[in-house]
Amino acid sequence: MDSKVYMEETEQYVLHTYNRFPVVLEKGEGVYLTDVDGKEYLDFGAGIAVFALGYGNQAYNDALKAQIDRIIHTSNLYYNVPLKEAAEKLAKVSGMDKVFFTNSGTEAIEGAIKAARKYAYLKDGRTDHEIIAMNHSFHGRSIGALSVTGNPHYQEAFRPLMGGVKFADFNDLENVKEQVTDRTCAVILETVQGEGGIYPATPEFLQGVKALCEERDILLILDEIQCGMGRTGSYFAWQQYGVEPDIMTCAKALGCGVPVGAFVLNEKVANASLVPGDHGTTYGGNPFACAAVSKVFDLFEELHVVDHVREVAPYLEQRLDELVAKYDFLSLRRGMGLMQGLVVTGRPVGELVAKALEHGLIVLSAGADVLRLVPPLVITKGDVDEMIRRLELAFQA
Ligand SMILES: *Cc1c(COP(=O)(O)O)cnc(C)c1O
């Protein structure tokens, strides 16, 4: 296949909403991808923090194949076996109460917003509740999720958005407090901001927001779509802060490539929010997607993925810190576990990402000036060394 022709024909039929890199990816093995021309890429993007287990995990693939032969879809009018297994495992690792499966992260956010509004409605009967979201956040592209996404550039052309949203500065507790009114029903934030530029919440901030929420019976929604599923060195990043959300959203690595998300409620919210008739989805929680989620949790346990992240992440941090010390255009490293960002000043980050690709390395950008690394969680120290080698070639180009 001629990749140039293939790209042209894709552009002919696929709506142009992405400026894609000139690469046609075809297959993956471990932490490497191969394009249609046979060129190999070390993947430190993982399909945007999705492919936690790496490519071609045989046990994962076999579980999906077996589920295809059993049944792919049933609908939510009936029970199915993988649904129970996936929900039980997600509830257990999070210590939370009830799960609703969706098809994407965006839809998980929509569900979280609806659950929060319903909880508040049942309490006081009002229909003018407000949500406090963060500047530089990212929660998705549907109108509800976009409305709590603190990026005017993404929002502008699509107004009017959902009402009742106020924005505060991430990691600025006083600023959050200033936005609170007697109508505030929820605070939504990413435990580690991803698209905005890899900003971990400070412990004082997250603990302060939690205390504020408890005091005012405001629900805390933590978006763990990117930072969850082991990436930061615990199943969910909030588990390292001693702060439990009332509602959590998951997606990305939850299905390791099968499109699936979830919003998860604690007991308080599960018992006093959404009931039959309030929310639904045709595909969400279908046996195929849930078989993926269920197998992902099994493999995380078998392969000790979260322990592995805790072991390899300090090495990644050390090697990245060496780069920051060595190159003037890198001003600092930020991140948690295998979710790391290098702040690039003086060179356009997009150019570095493109150069890395030429040298067989997939990395991402985030925010205006951050080079983002969200590799598969199964990377070895050797993979880190190879990533650094290729990245330095890109820097020198
Ligand atoms: C990717 C992402 C979303 C949106 O998820 P989709 O599956 O793309 O709809 C929401 N929140 C965060 C933090 C994300 O990283």
Side-chain angles (χ1 to χ4, degrees), residues 104-107 109 138-140 190 194-195 223 225-226 251-252:
S104 67
T106 298
E107 286 167 84
I109 297 290
F138 182 84
H139 299 292
E190 296 152 89
E195 303 299 315
D223 182 346
I225 290 169
Q226 189 161 158
K252 292 202 162 87

Side-chain angles (χ1 to χ4, degrees), residues 212 219 227 324:
L212 172 71
L219 299 182
C227 62
V324 172

Side-chain angles (χ1 to χ4, degrees), residues 71-80 83 281-288:
I71 192 162
I72 293 175
H73 180 74
T74 54
S75 99
N76 280 309
L77 302 180
Y78 315 95
Y79 294 89
N80 74 69
L83 172 64
T281 163
T282 300
Y283 276 137
N286 98 356
F288 183 67

